[in-house]
Amino acid sequence: MFHLRSSKLAGAAAALLLTFVPAQGQEQEITAQEADAYFRQIQEEAVEIMRSRDSGRLRQWVEANIGNGAVMQASVTLHHHGVRKGFTELTLTKDDMLNMSSLFAGALGQGVFDDYALEVTVTEVLPLGPDAATASVRWTERISINPGQAGSEGNQPGQQRQPVTIEANADCTHLLRRSEDALVLGLSTCKGEVSF
């Protein structure tokens, strides 16, 4: 009974998606291999942008990889030295992400970020008819921030500010869809933890 109800729900979601997103060219199912290659590409591009400090590419990356009408919902718990410090809920549209990328690009260009690592692991891909699928993905991110680069005028002579390392882990479900022969991210829901 539950399996039948889940199948009907997945079918309804796929039908709804396809009414809003007309397929481009020939329709084809998004395979697990195709989804895995797409997320590997995302990982490589993100690391390259961060390590090269190429702030100009950041906005282009958001434009290319976040679908029009996409929404990201995230629940994040914050920890400091193993102690829970807070909790936040985010709902971001593509416009929000573009605006945030502009702010982030400014910090990137100033060399605030010392080191960056990202690992993306696809754990499951569920096709939703032609040109759409959901992907369950584990994101593991580590970034070092050099506070001395953000403005050192407040530092006393001989005073050294220590870099801050932030580690984030998130389990997400992403709606993938094919748009103009390329995959893009649609609705994304994530639950994660950030430690600093």
Side-chain angles (χ1 to χ4, degrees):
M1 178 74 160
F2 176 74
H3 177 70
L4 181 61
R5 189 176 303 164
S6 297
S7 298
K8 286 181 179 179
L9 182 60
L16 181 62
L17 172 71
L18 294 175
T19 60
F20 287 112
V21 185
Q24 303 289 326
Q26 186 177 3
E27 297 177 345
Q28 56 183 3
E29 187 176 276
I30 296 173
T31 65
Q33 293 80 7
E34 187 178 8
D36 192 57
Y38 173 67
F39 283 102
R40 248 194 337 268
Q41 175 188 327
I42 282 180
Q43 174 182 317
E44 291 167 5
E45 289 175 351
V47 170
E48 184 181 325
I49 289 169
M50 292 295 291
R51 290 186 177 167
S52 67
R53 298 180 179 171
D54 188 352
S55 57
R57 283 185 58 197
L58 190 56
R59 187 177 178 89
Q60 295 171 352
W61 186 92
V62 173
E63 278 284 10
N65 287 285
I66 308 298
N68 292 329
V71 174
M72 184 180 106
Q73 297 175 322
S75 301
V76 182
T77 306
L78 306 174
H79 294 269
H80 183 59
H81 297 304
V83 178
R84 182 181 163 138
K85 292 294 181 179
F87 180 82
T88 186
E89 294 271 348
L90 299 170
T91 300
L92 302 172
T93 65
K94 181 174 182 174
D95 285 341
D96 295 330
M97 290 181 246
L98 286 168
N99 290 332
M100 289 178 69
S101 72
S102 297
L103 293 172
F104 197 73
L108 189 61
Q110 292 177 17
V112 172
F113 306 114
D114 270 350
D115 191 28
Y116 181 78
L118 175 66
E119 183 179 331
V120 183
T121 306
V122 179
T123 57
E124 183 181 28
V125 176
L126 178 64
L128 294 176
D131 293 331
T134 58
S136 299
V137 180
R138 173 81 169 172
W139 299 80
T140 304
E141 192 171 28
R142 187 173 188 272
I143 188 166
S144 292
I145 299 173
N146 184 351
Q149 297 285 27
S152 55
E153 60 274 0
N155 290 350
Q156 299 296 324
Q159 184 182 21
Q160 184 84 22
R161 297 177 72 184
Q162 295 298 317
V164 176
T165 299
I166 298 172
E167 295 186 15
N169 295 292
D171 292 303
C172 302
T173 300
H174 301 283
L175 176 62
L176 288 176
R177 64 179 176 84
R178 199 182 311 282
S179 175
E180 298 176 1
D181 297 324
L183 296 184
V184 294
L185 297 171
L187 174 66
S188 297
T189 57
C190 300
K191 184 173 182 180
E193 292 188 355
V194 175
S195 300
F196 61 98

